[in-house]
Amino acid sequence: MMTEMIANLKNTFQEQLDAATTSEALEAVRVAFLGKKGPVSDLMKSLRDMSVEEKKEAGQSINALKNYFEEAIAQKAAALEKAALDMAVRSAKKYNPSIPADKEVGSYHPITLIARDVEEIFSSMGFTVEDYAEIVDDYQCFESLNIPKHHPARDMQDTYYLENGQLLKTQTSAAQNHIMKKYGAPLRAIFPGRCFRNEATDACHENTFFQMEGMMIDKNISISNLIYFMKTMLSEVFGKKINVRLRPGFFPFTEPGFELDISCLICGGNGCPSCKNSGWLELCPCGMIHPNVLKEGGIDPEEYTGFAFGLGMTRLAMMKYGIKDIRNFNSGNLKALSQFESN
Ligand code: FA5
């Protein structure tokens, strides 16, 4: 009696299972056969009226039926899922890398453009372009630059230290020692890089900005060489004569050191937030490389002299492209950034 009932149930179940072609229909079959009001539940309830002997045999058959339903439903669910996935793949648009993009052409970031300009200018004057790490150690960023531990000059560059004792470089000067050791003298090199300082940001200060460092070391290099290269670079970048002023500046790694400011091109020198209302923008600190720094780089300061500069490249880009707020560079604002050349 029970055997016959189970065989019939299996037949009906199979018919309904075959007819279920969606996950919703399959769920309805599950509820119909395994739910509280379904046949499995009814059969379970019928055990109450059976003798112990009958109960044992019938219980096993009912459990086997329940497992049979559950397994069949799980298999069908997996099959439906696979079919849905196959359908989605078949109907999805095929990726074809040879089709040209329609509207979004993309564009270079203004920092990339200005870096290329400056690199081209200095390359044409015999400078090599060097690459350097963003994570450096204390020796590279400070000690090799004549800035021992606890030197007050460190306070000017609020530094992000990493847990392992390394730091995010605060200045491209961090590569000076490495490059001196790599090439020795004479050398001419520029090295662009991203710098990090824990700054309160405003229209002309960012916590992440770019500098372009340069060094020239040879016999008889003097301040007049420095001024010549700085002026040539600026007039090439801007395509016109630029007003500059040189003030004394202190850097432990230069002797003497200077601040080279350019007249603010955003306000024409009248004063605006981009130049902190001074009419001048501090753009390129520079100086003659300190003998201690040459010595630390393995170069004899009795034989060689050299100059170094640390151009504020993000600020240079502000001036060149008339960008009033430095925060636009890192904003990811495509409206602002996509205005630049796309070649
Ligand atoms: C330096 O970093 C020196 N290493 C530069 C140098 C190199 C001097 C070689 C002498 C010889 P300073 O901290 O002034 O100096 O930064 C250099 C330039 O980076 C600044 O003139 C400015 O244009 C830019 N700069 C500095 N801090 C920021 C900032 N928070 N946001 C944007 N630009 C900055």
Side-chain angles (χ1 to χ4, degrees), residues 145 156-157 170-174 176 197 199 204-211 213-214 251 253-254 257-260 281-287 308-316 326:
L145 292 166
M156 311 283 287
Q157 303 186 359
T170 56
Q171 50 182 350
T172 40
S173 305
Q176 282 193 12
R197 294 182 194 177
E199 300 260 11
C204 60
H205 288 87
E206 253 293 8
N207 50 31
T208 305
F209 56 95
F210 284 83
Q211 290 182 345
E213 188 98 355
F251 304 96
F253 38 95
T254 58
F258 305 101
E259 289 286 359
L260 186 141
L281 200 81
E282 185 189 301
L283 189 70
C284 189
C286 48
F309 61 88
L311 176 70
M313 206 155 57
T314 311
R315 290 198 187 155
L316 184 65
I326 198 169

Side-chain angles (χ1 to χ4, degrees), residues 291-311:
N292 288 353
V293 176
L294 288 173
K295 226 183 282 168
E296 194 65 31
I299 294 174
D300 181 0
E302 298 295 328
E303 195 179 353
Y304 291 100
T305 49
F307 68 76
F309 61 88
L311 176 70

Side-chain angles (χ1 to χ4, degrees), residues 41-60:
S41 178
D42 289 346
L43 285 170
M44 288 287 193
K45 282 178 203 151
S46 72
L47 290 177
R48 274 184 242 142
D49 310 323
M50 293 184 192
S51 67
V52 176
E53 270 311 296
E54 285 171 330
K55 226 184 240 177
K56 200 174 162 197
E57 201 181 318
Q60 281 175 356

